[in-house]
Amino acid sequence: MALNYLTLYQSGELLERVRAAYARLAACDLCPHDCGVNRLQGERGICGAGAHPAIASANVHNGEEPPISGNRGSGTIFLTGCSLKCRFCQNFPISQMGNGETITTKVLAGRMLKLQRQGVHNINFVTPTHYLPQILAALYLAIPLGFRLPIVWNSSGYEKVDAVRLLDGVVSVYLPDMKYMDNGTAERISSAPGYRTHNRPAVGEMFRQVGHLELDDDDVAVKGLIIRHLVLPEGLAGTRETLSWIAGNLGTETHISLMRQYFPAHQAINTPTLGRKITEGEYAEAVQALEESGLENGWVQE
């Protein structure tokens, strides 16, 4: 299994990327919000993140898509904070209330190595966008100590192409959301202006880097793209149009995880439209749209 980050480390390119990423924290522009705050001086923007990484947990996780969890689990590290403010977020204590432990990049590297010793297939960074510099730094510290696992970038998909380019050769498997077809809906529900405008080029860049999903002899992902799409009540996610875009722009070989686990949490409770689970009919319609798009790879939920 080729790990391109080893070549980047040996050439000095990885260190240059660490420096370039940290420089962006002085007037933070890592995500499309472009808050412009100086995180190096302790200022915080919409995501709530500062200069040091904060994590809610670092554990072996078996509940991801089968090629991610495999038979030994995924080394899942939940980052605190988020650049989105989804009204229905099921993890809102972590993403929006700041629950978690502030640590150093050295400690983060240690958590990665500990998970590796536990036998996981990969290190799976969940909601990582706002800590991109710190993750690159932790990887730089972990490599000479023997770190050799694929990295999974498990994100909301609200990304900037120039930031994603800093991950080229670092990330083996991209696991982004494609949440919305409509920018207005994204802003109203998730406080994510221009979500579609930014999401589609960013996912396109991810695909350019890693291509379609590749599995090893044990059907575990070693490289590639898996797109997650959460079906929302009353078609708010724009499922049919989103799946059609994926098929037309990335190819019908693209792996899709079509998720049905929406339920009203956080601010969605007692909110019109969002205040109920999706119906059997709504999910069946989404599955039909998946079939009609020609996308043949991936997972639907019973």
Side-chain angles (χ1 to χ4, degrees), residues 79-245:
L79 284 302
T80 298
C82 185
S83 54
L84 271 61
K85 301 296 181 189
C86 298
R87 297 179 62 84
F88 55 82
C89 183
Q90 298 168 12
N91 293 321
F92 69 90
I94 299 170
S95 64
Q96 299 183 32
M97 298 178 66
N99 286 12
E101 171 191 13
T102 299
I103 58 177
T104 64
T105 53
K106 182 178 180 180
V107 171
L108 180 57
R111 301 287 172 88
M112 295 163 63
L113 288 160
K114 180 181 178 182
L115 287 165
Q116 178 174 267
R117 291 192 297 271
Q118 291 177 269
V120 297
H121 294 290
N122 48 61
I123 296 298
N124 178 0
F125 289 107
V126 182
T127 321
T129 304
H130 49 298
Y131 284 123
L132 186 154
Q134 295 87 344
I135 290 169
L136 289 177
L139 175 63
Y140 183 81
L141 295 173
I143 288 172
L145 298 176
F147 181 74
R148 297 294 186 273
L149 289 179
I151 289 176
V152 178
W153 194 259
N154 183 344
S155 82
S156 70
Y158 193 49
E159 311 260 16
K160 295 174 71 171
V161 169
D162 61 349
V164 174
R165 286 183 182 139
L166 291 171
L167 300 170
D168 192 0
V170 171
V171 170
S172 295
V173 180
Y174 281 103
L175 188 58
D177 291 335
M178 294 194 78
K179 289 183 179 292
Y180 300 108
M181 176 269 293
D182 179 70
N183 280 338
T185 302
E187 185 166 8
R188 176 169 58 87
I189 297 177
S190 293
S191 300
Y195 181 91
R196 167 184 167 146
T197 304
H198 292 285
N199 174 249
R200 295 184 175 188
V203 172
E205 171 61 19
M206 295 173 187
F207 177 71
R208 183 196 69 77
Q209 292 179 21
V210 299
H212 291 302
L213 190 65
E214 299 177 17
L215 307 179
D216 65 13
D217 293 340
D218 295 319
D219 291 330
V220 174
V222 294
K223 183 182 179 185
L225 175 71
I226 300 173
I227 296 173
R228 284 176 167 171
H229 180 76
L230 177 66
V231 180
L232 295 177
E234 296 189 25
L236 285 173
T239 298
R240 182 174 294 276
E241 200 273 352
T242 297
L243 295 173
S244 176
W245 183 91

Side-chain angles (χ1 to χ4, degrees), residues 271-286:
T271 298
T273 309
L274 291 175
R276 64 168 176 82
K277 295 181 179 180
I278 64 168
T279 65
E280 293 290 335
E282 285 172 328
Y283 190 69
E285 185 176 340

